[in-house]
């Protein structure tokens, strides 16, 4: 069944890519023709999560507002669970003009613009307000502009995966408690360096292997959002969650530049306004899901701790010394000095 679904997904991606290869202009003509003829324009939008998850809340808010602003002349079709491809593939499809929109993690964006890797730096952001001020201001605009220039994908706004927590089978109250702990990290060199600096045994592992790895003791813990710890049933194989919040993950609302430029000025204005409307709704949805997950996990008997973050921060100097020159020391300093 999984193989059949994967084949279907690949076939969908291929058909979308073929439609876009050498055919970007035909897609633009179709969108323009639809507008001229008064036909409804349908934007295809990908999210990595299932229906009802935080990105879906943002996507539906965008869809509803877009329909309202255009008297139903524009709408959105939402594709769930990365059914059109993984997050990097989705950015690539948008860049080719083969997919219209996405709301997903910013994780792959560092492959094109190194400054995006700053979101993996430990404790760069003090809190959500700090992160939002960065994304909503000059720094966020600069990052979005660079990404558009490199990929032909336009960022319309920022929602979030938010801050991560760390699950384990022991209480984590300070950095001393993770010494020697086998902590799963994404296959990401910066994350590996950060957890090694804390004294843990950083263990890169694909997400699909994490539950089994925890269940069998191959790894002792992992970092993720509280909402994902709930929905992925990590609570069945872990007894503690530390609200470490050492890493913040934004989620762009993005659109193919080819799609955006194929729209009429009025349609472009509606898309921009719909994204502006969806942004705070998406952010609140993430906060709501995290609060719901915290209550759920406590009800399941898990212990949630608030570790001494300063003890972790004290171990990160070497991480910044290595990565700041690669990411850009100037933008890191701007982030640190951002008013909020």
């Amino acid at each position: 069944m999984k193989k059949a679904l994967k084949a279907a997904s690949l076939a969908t991606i291929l058909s979308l890519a073929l439609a876009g290869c050498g055919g970007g202009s035909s897609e633009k003509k179709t969108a323009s023709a639809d507008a001229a003829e008064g036909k409804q324009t349908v934007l295809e939008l990908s999210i990595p999560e299932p229906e009802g998850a935080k990105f879906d809340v943002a996507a539906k808010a965008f869809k509803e507002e877009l329909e309202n602003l255009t008297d139903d002349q524009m709408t959105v079709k939402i594709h769930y669970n990365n059914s059109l491809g993984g997050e990097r593939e989705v950015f690539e499809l948008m860049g080719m003009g083969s997919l219209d929109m996405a709301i997903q993690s910013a994780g792959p964006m560092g492959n094109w613009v190194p400054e995006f890797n700053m979101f993996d730096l430990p404790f760069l952001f003090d809190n959500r307000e700090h992160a939002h001020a960065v994304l909503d201001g000059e720094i966020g605009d600069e990052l979005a502009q660079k990404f558009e220039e490199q990929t032909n994908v336009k960022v319309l706004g920022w929602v979030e995966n938010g801050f991560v927590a760390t699950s384990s089978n022991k209480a984590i109250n300070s950095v001393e408690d993770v010494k020697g702990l086998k902590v799963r990290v994404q296959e990401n060199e910066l994350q590996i360096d950060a957890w090694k600096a804390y004294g843990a045994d950083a263990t890169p592992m694909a997400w699909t292997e994490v539950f089994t790895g925890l269940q069998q003791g191959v790894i002792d813990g992992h970092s993720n959002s509280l909402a994902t710890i709930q929905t992925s049933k990590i609570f069945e194989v872990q007894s503690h969650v530390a609200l470490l919040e050492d890493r913040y993950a934004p989620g762009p609302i993005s659109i193919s530049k080819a799609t955006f430029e194929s729209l009429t000025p009025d349609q472009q204005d509606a898309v921009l306004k719909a994204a502006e409307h969806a942004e705070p709704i998406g952010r609140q949805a993430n906060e709501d899901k995290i609060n719901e997950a915290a209550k759920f996990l406590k009800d399941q008997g898990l212990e949630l701790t608030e570790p001494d973050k300063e003890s972790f921060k004290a171990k990160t100097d070497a991480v910044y010394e290595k990565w700041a020159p690669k990411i850009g020391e100037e933008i890191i300093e701007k982030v640190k000095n951002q008013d909020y």
Side-chain angles (χ1 to χ4, degrees):
M1 183 65 173
K2 288 182 179 178
K3 289 182 179 178
L5 288 171
K6 186 174 182 180
S9 175
L10 289 172
T12 303
I13 294 169
L14 181 59
S15 65
L16 282 167
L18 288 173
C21 290
S25 60
S26 66
E27 286 190 2
K28 292 179 184 180
K29 288 177 183 176
T30 300
S32 299
D34 285 347
E37 296 170 15
K39 294 180 181 178
Q40 188 180 53
T41 298
V42 180
L43 300 177
E44 307 285 340
L45 187 152
S46 173
I47 68 171
E49 299 176 332
E51 189 167 7
K54 61 184 181 300
F55 287 155
D56 183 41
V57 174
K60 285 178 175 171
F62 177 88
K63 169 184 165 73
E64 182 178 349
E65 185 68 4
L66 187 64
E67 291 170 347
N68 289 339
L69 290 168
T70 63
D71 293 327
D72 289 327
Q73 291 303 298
M74 295 186 75
T75 189
V76 172
K77 181 177 180 182
I78 304 169
H79 298 268
Y80 297 99
N81 296 314
N82 275 338
S83 61
L84 301 182
E87 290 177 319
R88 177 167 180 162
E89 291 171 294
V90 163
F91 280 125
E92 290 170 345
L93 286 170
M94 285 191 289
M96 290 190 294
S98 302
L99 176 64
D100 297 315
M101 294 190 65
I103 302 177
Q104 59 181 20
S105 167
M109 297 173 85
N111 289 296
W112 292 280
V113 178
E115 288 90 337
F116 275 99
N117 291 316
M118 72 181 183
F119 291 102
D120 283 315
L121 285 170
F123 301 104
L124 180 60
F125 297 95
D126 298 332
N127 48 43
R128 291 177 79 236
E129 291 74 23
H130 183 197
H132 294 169
V134 167
L135 292 169
D136 296 342
E138 179 184 324
I139 298 171
D141 291 344
E142 179 184 333
L143 290 171
Q145 182 60 38
K146 287 186 177 182
F147 191 69
E148 183 174 341
E149 290 169 357
Q150 292 296 317
T151 64
N152 290 320
V153 176
K154 185 179 186 67
V155 175
L156 301 173
W158 302 96
V159 289
E160 62 187 6
N161 275 321
F163 284 101
V164 297
T166 299
S167 73
S168 65
N169 281 324
K170 60 177 285 189
I172 297 175
N173 293 305
S174 76
V175 74
E176 293 301 318
D177 295 322
V178 303
K179 189 173 183 179
L181 210 65
K182 291 177 289 184
V183 177
R184 178 265 177 178
V185 295
Q186 293 174 313
E187 294 167 285
N188 175 303
E189 188 181 351
L190 204 165
Q191 290 183 27
I192 293 169
D193 288 345
W195 277 95
K196 283 183 176 178
Y198 300 155
D201 180 2
T203 307
M205 181 180 288
W207 171 243
T208 52
E209 302 171 13
V210 170
F211 185 91
T212 303
L214 291 168
Q215 189 176 44
Q216 297 179 350
V218 177
I219 50 175
D220 300 315
H222 92 301
S223 290
N224 220 318
S225 73
L226 285 181
T228 302
I229 291 171
Q230 176 187 359
T231 57
S232 60
K233 298 189 176 181
I234 296 295
F235 61 87
E236 294 183 357
V237 290
Q238 299 268 258
S239 59
H240 291 71
V241 177
L243 305 179
L244 185 57
E245 298 183 336
D246 57 327
R247 188 161 48 85
Y248 173 86
I253 305 172
S254 54
I255 187 169
S256 164
K257 185 177 179 182
T259 296
F260 188 78
E261 291 182 347
S262 76
L263 303 174
T264 67
D266 285 345
Q267 288 177 322
Q268 290 180 353
D269 186 57
V271 165
L272 292 170
K273 287 179 177 176
E276 185 179 3
H277 171 79
E279 184 181 73
I281 293 173
R283 289 176 179 177
Q284 186 59 50
N286 181 60
E287 187 73 358
D288 291 343
K289 296 293 183 184
I290 287 173
N291 291 336
E292 290 170 13
K295 181 180 184 306
F296 175 86
L297 294 173
K298 289 177 182 177
D299 289 344
Q300 296 299 310
L302 274 73
E303 180 182 344
L304 272 62
T305 63
E306 296 186 11
D308 173 17
K309 294 180 183 179
E310 295 303 320
S311 68
F312 284 85
K313 289 180 185 179
K315 302 290 186 179
T316 63
D317 287 350
V319 179
Y320 277 82
E321 287 172 9
K322 175 179 176 179
W323 285 96
K326 298 180 180 182
I327 293 169
E329 295 179 358
E330 183 178 351
I331 196 167
I332 291 171
E333 285 305 309
K334 281 184 180 179
V335 170
K336 289 180 177 180
N337 295 321
Q338 175 71 53
D339 292 329
Y340 62 92

